Amino acid sequence: MAVRPIVISGDLVLHSPAAPVVDFNDDLRTLVNDMFDTMDAAPGVGLAAPQVGVSLRVFTFGYTDDNDHPWRGVAINPELWITPVPAGEADDDEDVEGCLSFPGERFPLLRSAHAVLRAVDLDQNPFEIPAHGWLARIFQHEFDHLDGTLYVDRLEHPYAKLAAKVTRKRSWGVPGLTWLPGVDALDA
């Protein structure tokens, strides 16, 4: 197992739809184990394969809810159903979100309060997880990565303007930029 570099916003792998997984082999197991190590080292609550430079429809998640129930797993070739996103503006406290591919920054974004994740695990066993609150947010965030969308792409004014300013200030938005959790000072 290893911690992999995390790709920073601007690289094509983050802004393109990922390919379905067809080979459930040792390479996939290594990728998933490395993704868990990377997610934990960052630290994060989710990590999509494109964030470590691999254009496959895979994401890991690790989150403990308000009832101290741990949610940890991998979703391969996921499908996601969500309830409609509420109307209105994102709350500056309740709806704040961050991203390991836009490290160190957090902006409010409205998301659906409920989601249903359907996917397969490493052994190709199908599963379904109904989620609400933060777990639903995590699933939506990671699923977006698999479609080539970062949460900053969904921001509305004035937060979209702030994210663009951060991108320019940090010279992001170009291919080839990464950071390594536990090593680089960019930890989100």
Side-chain angles (χ1 to χ4, degrees):
M1 286 20 106
V3 173
R4 294 189 183 198
I6 297 176
V7 178
I8 294 175
S9 179
D11 200 287
L12 186 60
V13 72
L14 292 174
H15 303 282
S16 304
V21 172
V22 293
D23 294 322
F24 287 76
N25 54 24
D26 288 341
D27 289 342
L28 180 62
R29 287 186 185 282
T30 298
L31 170 65
V32 168
N33 287 329
D34 290 354
M35 287 173 63
F36 276 117
D37 288 348
T38 304
M39 179 182 75
D40 293 342
V45 294
L47 185 69
Q51 292 182 272
V52 293
V54 179
S55 186
L56 288 175
R57 296 191 73 80
V58 177
F59 70 79
T60 56
F61 56 94
Y63 169 72
T64 301
D65 65 23
D66 292 338
N67 297 318
D68 289 327
H69 182 276
W71 294 94
R72 189 168 176 87
V74 59
I76 301 170
N77 296 332
E79 297 174 352
L80 191 68
W81 284 267
I82 61 171
T83 57
V85 176
E89 294 184 16
D91 183 276
D92 289 348
D93 295 319
E94 296 296 317
D95 298 317
V96 170
E97 194 168 313
C99 180
L100 297 175
S101 290
F102 206 85
E105 302 297 327
R106 298 176 63 78
F107 299 104
L109 175 66
L110 279 177
R111 294 275 192 184
S112 174
H114 301 279
V116 176
L117 173 68
R118 290 184 183 152
V120 297
D121 64 18
L122 280 168
D123 296 317
Q124 300 184 61
N125 296 315
F127 65 89
E128 178 177 300
I129 301 174
H132 66 278
W134 276 101
L135 188 59
R137 178 178 292 274
I138 292 165
F139 290 165
Q140 291 168 77
H141 181 109
E142 300 310 327
F143 190 83
D144 273 355
H145 276 299
L146 304 183
D147 288 339
T149 302
L150 274 67
Y151 93 107
V152 293
D153 298 332
R154 293 189 178 277
L155 295 175
E156 295 188 12
H157 186 78
Y159 302 108
K161 188 174 180 177
L162 290 171
K165 185 176 180 179
V166 168
T167 299
R168 284 189 306 275
K169 181 180 178 186
R170 295 194 178 175
S171 300
W172 293 346
V174 297
L177 300 177
T178 63
W179 70 281
L180 189 62
V183 175
D184 294 328
L186 292 175
D187 294 86

